[in-house]
Amino acid sequence: MTKSQAQYIDEIPVRGRLNPEPFTLNLRAGFTLIEMMVAVSIFAMVMVMAVGALLSIIDANRKAQSQQISFTNLDFALESMSRSIHDGRTYHCGLGTLTVPADCASGANSFAFEPYNGSSGTANDQVVYQLNNNLIERSTNGGSTFVTITSPEIVVEGLTFYVRGTTLSDTEQPIVLVSLYGYAGLSLK
């Protein structure tokens, strides 16, 4: 080979061969301890905020479900009252003899009536509604014993009955208006 040919061969890049230089350890590769600590602490803070948000959502959902159950209970109690009042007769508002019809234009805290299948002359089969300790109660035996028809989560602050047209001799249909106010009390669990 001539000298010019040897120079030409040395200038040709060699491909596919192993790197002839010895292996060197790159001390700059990877993360330092400080970088790892910063990354882990940022990850921990993000996770704590995410878990806090998740727990808040779960608590809000639990409260919403509790409130929905309370309102469903109140709706059922009022619907039951409405149906039994609609089918009843001989309406009596307030205190006194339950078998005698009585209007109360100014309102009363208790209300009684003869149920659909009851006897007009018998006072111990009257249905009575009243407010007691922020709960609506119902009696089906003329007020001897009462059963609570609203759940304890419902706090009824006021219950007033207004009755008009109870006179038996007229042809006017009696009108019963029930005024109720309160709130759904949620437990602090």
Side-chain angles (χ1 to χ4, degrees), residues 2-177:
T2 65
K3 187 175 180 185
S4 64
Q5 286 179 337
Q7 270 183 337
Y8 179 73
I9 290 175
D10 287 339
E11 292 175 4
I12 296 176
V14 179
R15 294 178 192 220
R17 290 189 181 176
L18 292 176
N19 188 359
E21 294 182 21
F23 177 77
T24 58
L25 181 61
N26 186 355
L27 297 178
R28 306 275 299 146
F31 300 106
T32 64
L33 181 60
I34 299 293
E35 290 172 334
M36 286 298 291
M37 289 174 58
V38 168
V40 168
S41 63
I42 290 173
F43 176 74
M45 284 190 285
V46 168
M47 290 307 295
V48 165
M49 290 188 314
V51 168
L54 181 64
L55 291 176
S56 294
I57 290 171
I58 290 172
D59 186 51
N61 184 33
R62 181 186 59 80
K63 287 180 181 178
Q65 285 180 348
S66 174
Q67 191 173 26
Q68 180 64 36
I69 290 169
S70 297
F71 288 139
T72 300
N73 172 265
L74 181 61
D75 184 51
F76 178 76
L78 291 176
E79 183 66 27
S80 173
M81 284 176 62
S82 174
R83 287 179 188 262
S84 62
I85 291 170
H86 178 266
D87 293 338
R89 61 185 190 281
T90 315
Y91 300 110
H92 179 86
C93 193
L95 302 173
T97 306
L98 300 180
T99 56
V100 177
D103 287 357
C104 57
S106 60
N109 294 328
S110 64
F111 173 71
F113 61 93
E114 189 67 47
Y116 175 72
N117 56 355
S119 172
S120 297
T122 308
N124 63 358
D125 66 347
Q126 298 284 319
V127 175
V128 181
Y129 288 104
Q130 71 177 10
L131 179 65
N132 186 18
N133 294 326
N134 296 331
L135 298 169
I136 300 174
E137 295 180 333
R138 174 186 170 138
S139 171
T140 56
N141 57 7
S144 297
T145 58
F146 284 90
V147 175
T148 302
I149 62 171
T150 54
S151 68
E153 290 83 18
I154 298 291
V155 178
V156 180
E157 294 178 326
L159 176 67
T160 307
F161 297 96
Y162 301 92
V163 181
R164 179 174 60 115
T166 60
T167 307
L168 296 177
S169 60
D170 66 6
T171 58
E172 182 181 333
Q173 175 70 32
I175 297 173
V176 178
L177 174 69

